[in-house]
Amino acid sequence: MPENRYESSPGSTTARPGQEHYTATFDEGGLGAVDAVRTDDAPTSLWRDAWREMRARWLFWVSAAVIVLVVLVAIFPGLFTSIDPRSCDLTKALEGPQAGHPFGFDRQGCDIYSRTVYGARASVVVGVLATTMVVIIGTTIGAIAGYYGKWFDTILSRITDIFFAIPLVLAAIVIMSVTTNRTSFLVAFVLALFGWTQIARITRGTVMSVKNNEFVTAARSLGMSRGQILVRHVLPNSAAPIIVYATVALGQFIVAEATLSFLGIGLPPSVVSWGGDISAAQGAIRTNPEILLYPAGGLALTVLGFMMMGDVVRDALDPKARKR
């Protein structure tokens, strides 16, 4: 019996590379499909599509290389230098590059290269801690306000508005100026205390959109509680904008920590940090600008890496921006 073959791709008229579609065989009598062969074009998940989109962009690999390098330097600074950053010799103050000291010495006779390497640890630790706390606080408040609504939304939204009106750096300056035992955790906590509002708003809006989808209604009809639906279905499907914001926010918190250390109210002088070294170098910026260039360059490169990664992730997770 003659056969009529056609190809169909579920969900679209044009199959994208890497997807699977099916070749179905029908008889002329219209009795339906009698054979189906799966090929390499099937609908894929959001995260798989995002990964395919990211790895095809050179900006992703550049930013990933920068982030991996900074993280390695922060975790294992001894792999990059054997010089103690706190070992200083005033007789070598402001001397130029020498054998074993490629960046020269600062105003206190400390090796600039070793201080630049060890300064990455404080910035990365504060950035990661602050971002983690911000994601936990902001996501929790935004998810409850967006999912449960009613008076939950009213109260939590007004609290968010109050904290949103307080400038982050200004609030951190006020609090840090009256504290004595300034540690990395304290700096991160202060930044998170006033930095969670943006992610709370993002989460609230995303959750309000996701909770009206059909799979939420289906889960409710199966007898799942509202809390279970929120944790198992709504939040996982709201994760994309949260991840994008967290990537960008990490760089912002690193800048905030450097700003506080530059002003002398962030990490104590005993902790090597880029902000503290920039502050110490400002007095010699006209005669020896290079001692300011290296810690500032490390800070700028780190923040640039996270910002570029945030842009790549945002474009990859945005269905409107993704190439079809």
Side-chain angles (χ1 to χ4, degrees), residues 40-251:
D40 293 333
D41 293 332
T44 55
S45 67
L46 170 67
W47 302 106
R48 185 175 298 178
D49 284 347
W51 168 242
R52 183 185 300 114
E53 181 75 16
M54 288 190 297
R55 69 184 183 184
R57 299 183 57 181
W58 65 268
L59 191 62
F60 167 75
W61 296 108
V62 172
S63 57
V66 172
I67 292 174
V68 170
L69 176 62
V70 171
V71 171
L72 286 176
V73 170
I75 298 176
F76 308 107
L79 296 177
F80 299 88
T81 179
S82 59
I83 301 175
D84 185 356
R86 301 177 184 84
S87 178
C88 307
D89 185 357
L90 285 174
T91 61
K92 297 182 178 180
L94 298 179
E95 290 187 4
Q98 301 176 6
H101 307 278
F103 292 172
F105 301 87
D106 62 12
R107 300 179 68 185
Q108 302 298 322
C110 305
D111 182 70
I112 298 177
Y113 173 73
S114 65
R115 292 189 67 85
T116 302
V117 169
Y118 277 86
R121 172 173 294 178
S123 296
V124 171
V125 168
V126 171
V128 171
L129 286 176
T131 303
T132 302
M133 287 186 280
V134 160
V135 169
I136 294 174
I137 298 172
T139 300
T140 302
I141 293 177
I144 294 175
Y147 185 71
Y148 290 98
K150 298 182 180 179
W151 63 271
F152 287 101
D153 189 19
T154 301
I155 295 176
L156 294 177
S157 294
R158 297 297 77 77
I159 294 175
T160 302
D161 292 340
I162 293 173
F163 276 87
F164 189 79
I166 303 175
L168 172 62
V169 176
L170 178 60
I173 290 175
V174 172
I175 294 180
M176 295 301 298
S177 61
V178 297
T179 58
T180 54
N181 186 21
R182 300 193 297 268
T183 62
S184 297
F185 180 82
L186 179 61
V187 174
F189 176 77
V190 172
L191 293 176
L193 184 62
F194 297 95
W196 57 267
T197 55
Q198 188 65 34
I199 197 169
R201 287 187 166 190
I202 294 173
T203 304
R204 174 182 176 271
T206 307
V207 168
M208 291 179 67
S209 176
V210 172
K211 73 176 184 179
N212 296 321
N213 289 342
E214 294 180 355
F215 64 84
V216 175
T217 304
R220 189 179 298 115
S221 65
L222 293 175
M224 295 184 65
S225 66
R226 301 186 72 182
Q228 290 177 321
I229 295 174
L230 175 62
V231 174
R232 296 184 182 181
H233 298 285
V234 176
L235 280 179
N237 285 278
S238 305
I242 297 174
I243 293 174
V244 172
Y245 176 79
T247 306
V248 176
L250 203 156

Side-chain angles (χ1 to χ4, degrees), residues 1-2 26-32:
M1 180 179 296
F26 286 80
D27 60 21
E28 281 188 340
L31 297 180

Side-chain angles (χ1 to χ4, degrees), residues 7-16 19-21 41-43 324:
E7 294 184 346
S8 64
S9 176
S12 64
T13 56
T14 304
R16 287 182 288 169
Q19 291 187 326
E20 294 179 348
H21 67 274
D41 293 332
R324 295 187 179 274

